[in-house]
Structures are given as C-alpha cells and as structure tokens.
Amino acid sequence: MLTLKQIITMLHQKGHKVTPQRLAICEILFSYKSHPTADEIYKRVSQKFPTISLSTIYQTLNLLMKLGLIQELGFPNISSRYDANTSPHIHIICPKCGNTQDYEDKKFEELWSKFITKLNFKPIGQRLEIYKYCDKCSKIG
Ligand SMILES: [Zn+2]
Ligand SMILES: [Zn+2]
C-alpha cells in the first residue's frame, strides 16, 4: 500500500491539485484498512471540513480509481466500498451490511498471482471473496 507522501507526489506529477479536502479523503483511505463507503468517508471528512459535499468525495474517489490507486468493491444491493490495497488479496464480506475485512493468506495469494500470470490475457479485474455474516448481522438473524 502506498504512503500518503507517495500519493501526494503522484497527484502532483499527474497535474492534479492536492487540496486539504482531497488529502483528508486520502488519509482515510490509505491510513486505515477499513474499506469505507463513500458515505463513511463523507461523514468523517465533514467533521473537519463541514462545507465538503458528497460529490467532492465521489470526484476524488473517481480520480484515485482512474490513477489506479484504489479499487472499488461494488455489490448489488449495498453501497460500494473502496480499498487502497490494489494488489490481489482475499476479502471476507458480510452480504448484509457490506462489512469488508482483509484475510491474509500469502501462500494462496502467491498461488493466485501465478495462476493469473499464466493466463493468456490480462484480466481487467479480479476479486477474491468469501462471504460470512458479521458478528452484528448474525446477532440480528
Ligand atoms: Zn454485517
Ligand atoms: Zn482489502
């Protein structure tokens, strides 16, 4: 995962402004492995920048995606989540609330990367997902 400093350098190199708002969004994405939704980012950033709009959040997310710095984890009935770790890794996802956690298994990830490189094409994306109700949702039933 890139550091905040590397992100700033990259944005500058590509000719993008690094506003304090953008920086705050990056900070949330790159400093925690929390896979936040746009709403969650909005709630946290607006504590510091009360005038920020949700569309600024989406614009920044789209920019970071275009630069390949984050990946979007989209789901059919729940909000997308955003991940600053763009290398292939396993997610454990609650299908009810979308709670997403990384699951570390280096051996499997190596094996998967080898398998991907053996393909005769370059995939446009890949997802490694395991579904499980989170503690909160399994209590509700
Ligand atoms: Zn859940
Ligand atoms: Zn992840």
Side-chain angles (χ1 to χ4, degrees), residues 35 83 89 91 102:
H35 310 87
D83 195 349
H89 62 283
H91 284 134
D102 288 338

Side-chain angles (χ1 to χ4, degrees), residues 29-71:
L29 283 161
F30 288 91
S31 308
Y32 311 94
K33 285 185 173 176
S34 61
H35 310 87
T37 61
D39 274 325
E40 282 166 2
I41 297 171
Y42 174 64
K43 272 188 202 126
R44 293 193 59 166
V45 178
S46 59
Q47 287 172 3
K48 219 168 149 190
F49 301 99
T51 54
I52 199 163
S53 68
L54 193 56
S55 74
T56 306
I57 307 282
Y58 277 112
Q59 274 165 22
T60 306
L61 288 169
N62 285 330
L63 173 66
L64 294 170
M65 276 195 281
K66 223 171 71 190
L67 297 173
L69 298 173
I70 59 167
Q71 61 169 328

Side-chain angles (χ1 to χ4, degrees), residues 94-99 132-138:
C94 172
K96 206 162 172 182
C97 70
N99 181 304
K132 169 191 173 287
Y133 289 119
C134 70
D135 292 345
K136 228 166 69 195
C137 292
S138 58

Side-chain angles (χ1 to χ4, degrees), residues 113-132:
S113 297
K114 268 187 204 153
F115 166 72
I116 294 288
T117 40
K118 266 202 287 192
L119 297 170
N120 278 328
F121 58 87
K122 197 177 173 339
I124 49 166
Q126 46 187 296
R127 287 167 80 161
L128 298 170
E129 297 178 348
I130 298 166
Y131 303 99
K132 169 191 173 287

